[in-house]
Amino acid sequence: MSLPVVKRRKNALKRAQINEIRDQLRHWYTTSLVGRTLLRQEREHLEPVLNTLFGYHAVQVGCLPGEDLLSQCRIPHRVVMDPDSGKPAHTVLCAYPDALPIQSDSVDVVVLPHTLEFERAPHEILREVDRVLIPEGHVLILGFNPWSLWGIAALLCGRRKHPVPPWCGKFLSLTRLTDWLALLGFKVVLTREFFFRPPIQHEGTLRRLNFMERLGPKYCGRLGGAYLLVAQKRVFTLTPIRPRWRARRSVVGKLARPAARC
């Protein structure tokens, strides 16, 4: 089975609009109190997982947080791919998430930091990830949870005429994302949810609600505002089946003698 081919709607976002949303999201990460807090938590959950993965090549598809999230990765060759070619870092290459200029079966780790929520066809991005990953390679996905206080905020803000990032994105639930990955042959090996507090911009209130981060994983494990999903690419090999030889008894006159048959 494979993911269905999704026809692009006439009102789908154009590439220039997506690039503008990316710039606004980077600005939100650096200037917003919630954005800076979220980035800190995302690093706290992402870096320990990256330290356990090994290989030769790691790729970060999209630079939405405005940072290189692969800096703590042990893999020697690390590349960030983003449509914005104006980045000063030499490790950033200009490429679209749904058309990666990478050889098939050549990458050990792929990181998608909120890449799927702000693209026209997230299915095509997952297909590209499946194509470039080696067998048993890993994909790490950071996403926003629609079934959370963040999802409620996105629903309310989405009713505005011009919602701003991150509230203009299409949040994907862990259940839906797990189903998509299963169709491509991936096995989900880890999921973590975090940021159980509401996305409010008052520092004192956020500090007073810090107890929600301690109680959330224990009592509301599926209601975190953001999540980390780690999946491994599985490859099923065909095992040749040898023919079974059975003895057949044939009758010649009154005597019976064995005869081999396939």
Side-chain angles (χ1 to χ4, degrees):
M1 297 180 64
S2 60
L3 290 179
V5 177
V6 180
K7 295 182 179 180
R8 294 181 178 177
R9 298 172 298 177
K10 294 182 180 180
N11 59 347
L13 293 176
K14 298 180 179 180
R15 177 55 59 182
Q17 294 174 304
I18 296 177
N19 292 343
E20 183 179 357
I21 291 175
R22 291 174 178 274
D23 292 336
Q24 293 176 358
L25 187 61
R26 294 189 188 101
H27 184 264
W28 177 80
Y29 262 105
T30 56
T31 61
S32 168
L33 172 64
V34 177
R36 294 194 302 269
T37 307
L38 174 63
L39 180 58
R40 183 170 62 253
Q41 290 195 18
E42 287 178 338
R43 280 192 170 277
E44 291 175 355
H45 288 84
L46 184 64
E47 291 178 357
V49 178
L50 284 174
N51 288 332
T52 64
L53 302 178
F54 299 91
Y56 296 97
H57 307 286
V59 176
Q60 175 182 326
V61 182
C63 196
L64 299 187
E67 291 192 12
D68 179 6
L69 299 176
L70 298 175
S71 58
Q72 301 299 321
C73 183
R74 295 185 179 184
I75 296 178
H77 184 225
R78 303 183 297 269
V79 177
V80 178
M81 295 200 171
D82 195 84
D84 186 0
S85 60
K87 295 289 183 305
H90 67 280
T91 56
V92 178
L93 301 179
C94 180
Y96 294 128
D98 54 357
L100 300 176
I102 303 176
Q103 184 179 356
S104 300
D105 303 320
S106 61
V107 178
D108 300 276
V109 176
V110 174
V111 179
L112 301 176
H114 301 287
T115 308
L116 302 177
E117 293 103 325
F118 303 95
E119 284 289 331
R120 294 170 292 187
H123 309 82
E124 297 182 9
I125 300 176
L126 292 178
R127 288 193 186 96
E128 277 291 277
V129 172
D130 177 52
R131 180 185 65 83
V132 303
L133 273 178
I134 65 171
E136 308 302 323
H138 291 81
V139 57
L140 286 70
I141 302 175
L142 290 170
F144 294 112
N145 182 13
W147 308 112
S148 65
L149 295 175
W150 288 62
I152 296 176
L155 183 63
L156 296 176
C157 295
R159 296 179 179 178
R160 300 176 182 175
K161 187 175 182 180
H162 298 291
V164 296
W167 316 119
C168 63
K170 185 177 181 180
F171 294 1
L172 301 173
S173 67
L174 278 171
T175 302
R176 175 177 294 186
L177 196 54
T178 300
D179 291 341
W180 289 356
L181 291 169
L183 290 176
L184 289 172
F186 282 82
K187 176 184 177 182
V188 175
V189 297
L190 174 68
T191 57
R192 291 179 181 173
E193 296 196 33
F194 47 91
F195 213 124
F196 294 86
R197 289 170 289 178
I200 53 180
Q201 295 292 341
H202 191 272
E203 185 175 2
T205 304
L206 272 183
R207 191 183 305 111
R208 286 192 294 270
L209 294 177
N210 194 45
F211 70 93
M212 298 179 67
E213 301 298 333
R214 299 189 302 270
L215 300 180
K218 185 176 181 180
Y219 298 103
C220 307
R222 288 293 182 178
L223 300 179
Y227 58 79
L228 168 65
L229 182 147
V230 182
Q232 187 177 30
K233 179 180 177 180
R234 297 181 298 175
V235 177
F236 301 95
T237 58
L238 297 178
T239 302
I241 302 176
R242 301 181 62 183
R244 295 181 57 189
W245 294 85
R246 296 184 302 172
R248 183 183 64 179
R249 300 178 63 87
S250 62
V251 179
V252 179
K254 295 182 179 180
L255 301 177
R257 63 181 182 184
R261 180 179 77 170
C262 179

